[in-house]
Amino acid sequence: MFQMSKLYHNFHHTKNSVFSFVFLLPLFLLLLLACNGFSVFYINLSVPAKTSPEPANLLPEILPGDKPVKKLSSSSVMYAVKEENPSLNLKTHLSLIQKPNISMVSKPKKQPHRFRPQTLKALQLRTTKTTKGFTFSTKLRAFFQNSNCKLHFFMTWISSLHSLSHRELLVIESVFKSNPKACLVIVSTSLDSPKGNAVLKPFLNMGFNLITVSPDFDSIFKHTYAETWFNRLKTGNINPGEVSLGQNLSNLLRLVLLYKYGGVYIDTDVIVLKSFNNLSNVIGAQSMNIETKTWSRLNNAVLVFDKHHPLLYKFIQEFALTFDGNKWGHNGPYLVSRVVGRVTNRPGFNFTVLPPPAFYPVDWSRIRSLFREPNNRIQSDWLRRKLEQIRTQSYAVHLWNRQSKDVRVEEGSIVHHIISDCCIFCNISTSSL
């Protein structure tokens, strides 16, 4: 009886165990599946490895003469980056990392544009020494001493001789018509030649002080910021850019010439109307802000400065430190505007900004109007008033050759009247200008 009771008890215990096992088995399998799934997702989730950032190069290159600049610490650099680039949330960050079809191969760096000596040769701006053993500087000093001139004018001609037109010759006439005792230096390889001298011989026959000199950049730029910039250009460490290299060299050349010798620089499309004897340390505004009555843009087509003027030093320094050969005007009109805007009202810089009528009485966008004859009473009245304003207020007129070189001078136009006022030989047909 006791055995039967024991068997009956074991049977019920086994039955309950089986029912418990059958009941818990699904829960166990679900739990096992969940754990396995979690491990799969955990293993396959790609997390980018944490790498130390490369130090950012935030400091400008230091040229000779600059004060050393204290470098930023790594923490300050990272803080600057963080401020400029707000952090992304995790979802966006992971989606960017896991985005498919993105090539991780870095593109090869573009090689710097190598300086080619033939580039200067094509621009008639070779680095050369003048004839008979005289360097550029010694030839200029001898010219100034022998001429005993009261004022030095400088021009640059970067093109070939056959590109020289009657318009450029008229500009030379205008210089001597208003400043007969001045000296004019034309820095040009093409004009410093037998054929170039033949073209300019009529001026020498009239007794005017005129000289053409081929540029020797190593001599001209020596002991200035321009020297360092030019050396880097020659070694291929500066990209000349898409803008004409000759134009940018002219922008720099005029600054260094005035810094070393002092005087007046004018572009070859600037007709001089008055004596410059009373002008000293001036630069002209191209445009003005009507509301504030202050200049909004300056121009470097006409510059009048004393030798070693500090503003010229700043111009040259700005050119060397911020040169950009891909932006038109960046190293010219915009450069002088930037620097003057920074040094205005600072002690030690004594100069005057003349209003637009002084050198730029007509903006480049309206220069063609000066070449046209009037067709009605309204145009005639405007021409008369404008011509009177130019004759009384302007020292020179910039013709903006880029916009007007193909425009014919019409009889009775403002330019026609100006030519009659400033010509010396006066035997050239106005249509040829």
Side-chain angles (χ1 to χ4, degrees):
M1 187 69 179
F2 176 77
Q3 292 179 348
M4 290 293 293
S5 175
K6 187 176 181 180
L7 290 172
Y8 180 80
H9 179 74
N10 291 337
F11 172 77
H12 277 282
H13 180 74
T14 303
K15 180 180 179 181
N16 291 335
S17 299
V18 170
F19 277 112
S20 299
F21 176 78
V22 172
F23 177 78
L24 295 175
L25 180 61
L27 296 177
F28 177 77
L29 292 175
L30 289 174
L31 180 61
L32 181 63
L33 180 63
C35 293
N36 183 57
F38 177 80
S39 64
V40 171
F41 281 104
Y42 177 80
I43 294 172
N44 289 279
L45 180 62
S46 60
V47 180
K50 186 176 181 181
T51 59
S52 58
E54 296 181 0
N57 184 15
L58 302 180
L59 298 177
E61 182 175 359
I62 301 176
L63 295 180
D66 288 346
K67 295 181 179 179
V69 183
K70 184 179 180 181
K71 291 188 177 181
L72 300 174
S73 64
S74 58
S75 60
S76 62
V77 172
M78 292 306 297
Y79 179 78
V81 174
K82 182 178 179 181
E83 289 296 309
E84 291 294 328
N85 301 286
S87 59
L88 302 173
N89 58 48
L90 179 61
K91 182 178 180 180
T92 305
H93 183 62
L94 290 177
S95 66
L96 290 176
I97 293 175
Q98 296 172 351
K99 188 175 181 179
N101 300 326
I102 297 180
S103 175
M104 300 303 292
V105 180
S106 59
K107 296 182 179 179
K109 293 184 179 181
K110 187 176 181 181
Q111 295 297 323
H113 184 96
R114 289 290 171 183
F115 176 83
R116 296 183 177 89
Q118 59 267 31
T119 303
L120 286 185
K121 183 176 180 180
L123 292 167
Q124 302 296 320
L125 281 169
R126 295 187 297 271
T127 300
T128 182
K129 298 293 182 71
T130 57
T131 57
K132 297 181 180 180
F134 288 98
T135 63
F136 181 92
S137 58
T138 56
K139 190 173 181 179
L140 247 61
R141 282 197 297 266
F143 171 66
F144 291 145
Q145 291 174 0
N146 296 332
S147 302
N148 194 25
C149 45
K150 295 183 178 180
L151 191 60
H152 303 161
F153 276 83
F154 292 92
M155 296 169 59
T156 61
W157 181 250
I158 63 176
S159 302
S160 60
L161 183 60
H162 75 268
S163 299
L164 191 74
S165 69
H166 293 301
R167 184 176 293 194
E168 286 77 35
L169 293 174
L170 175 66
V171 171
I172 298 175
E173 289 186 49
S174 70
V175 171
F176 290 121
K177 181 65 177 290
S178 301
N179 303 267
K181 300 299 182 181
C183 283
L184 173 60
V185 177
I186 304 178
V187 181
S188 170
T189 299
S190 60
L191 286 174
D192 187 16
S193 64
K195 291 183 178 180
N197 293 333
V199 171
L200 300 174
K201 188 176 180 180
F203 294 97
L204 299 176
N205 292 339
M206 293 282 291
F208 296 121
N209 299 312
L210 171 63
I211 190 175
T212 57
V213 193
S214 298
D216 176 9
F217 291 113
D218 291 327
S219 172
I220 298 171
F221 294 159
K222 194 173 183 180
H223 302 311
T224 68
Y225 271 92
E227 179 182 18
T228 303
W229 177 87
F230 188 63
N231 288 336
R232 295 180 64 210
L233 176 72
K234 290 190 295 183
T235 55
N237 293 318
I238 288 181
N239 184 355
E242 300 298 326
V243 178
S244 165
L245 177 60
Q247 177 181 321
N248 280 322
L249 281 172
S250 176
N251 285 329
L252 180 59
L253 189 58
R254 69 191 66 182
L255 301 176
V256 179
L257 288 173
L258 291 185
Y259 181 74
K260 287 195 169 183
Y261 301 101
V264 181
Y265 170 84
I266 62 169
D267 275 350
T268 54
D269 58 350
V270 174
I271 298 181
V272 178
L273 304 179
K274 290 184 176 66
S275 171
F276 276 48
N277 287 333
N278 296 327
L279 295 181
S280 177
N281 302 321
V282 300
I283 186 171
Q286 177 182 326
S287 57
M288 299 284 289
N289 187 313
I290 300 178
E291 296 180 356
T292 62
K293 305 296 182 182
T294 58
W295 62 267
S296 55
R297 183 186 298 177
L298 306 181
N299 201 289
N300 64 338
V302 182
L303 299 169
V304 186
F305 283 97
D306 295 337
K307 180 179 179 180
H308 294 159
H309 194 278
L311 186 59
L312 294 172
Y313 177 89
K314 284 293 184 182
F315 287 157
I316 298 170
Q317 183 184 50
E318 179 77 5
F319 186 102
L321 295 176
T322 68
F323 175 81
D324 190 333
N326 293 312
K327 296 179 181 179
W328 188 92
H330 177 83
N331 313 299
Y334 294 115
L335 181 148
V336 295
S337 299
R338 292 195 305 271
V339 175
V340 170
R342 291 200 298 262
V343 305
T344 298
N345 298 325
R346 285 177 54 182
F349 294 90
N350 298 316
F351 64 94
T352 303
V353 176
L354 297 181
F359 307 130
Y360 314 101
V362 178
D363 188 68
W364 64 267
S365 60
R366 299 188 61 191
I367 190 60
R368 290 172 176 261
S369 62
L370 296 190
F371 289 78
R372 301 192 182 101
E373 64 175 334
N375 294 323
N376 52 53
R377 179 67 178 273
I378 296 177
Q379 292 180 2
S380 297
D381 291 341
W382 176 85
L383 185 149
R384 178 179 51 81
R385 292 192 302 270
K386 192 66 179 179
L387 182 60
E388 181 64 20
Q389 180 197 47
I390 291 175
R391 283 173 169 169
T392 56
Q393 300 181 24
S394 299
Y395 287 92
V397 178
H398 192 193
L399 296 182
W400 306 101
N401 265 5
R402 288 173 65 93
Q403 283 71 37
S404 68
K405 62 182 179 180
D406 297 325
V407 181
R408 185 176 65 88
V409 179
E410 297 180 0
E411 298 286 339
S413 65
I414 291 180
V415 173
H416 178 257
H417 286 286
I418 290 175
I419 292 172
S420 301
D421 294 341
C422 68
C423 67
I424 292 177
F425 304 111
C426 301
N427 55 357
I428 302 299
S429 172
T430 55
S431 60
S432 64
L433 298 175

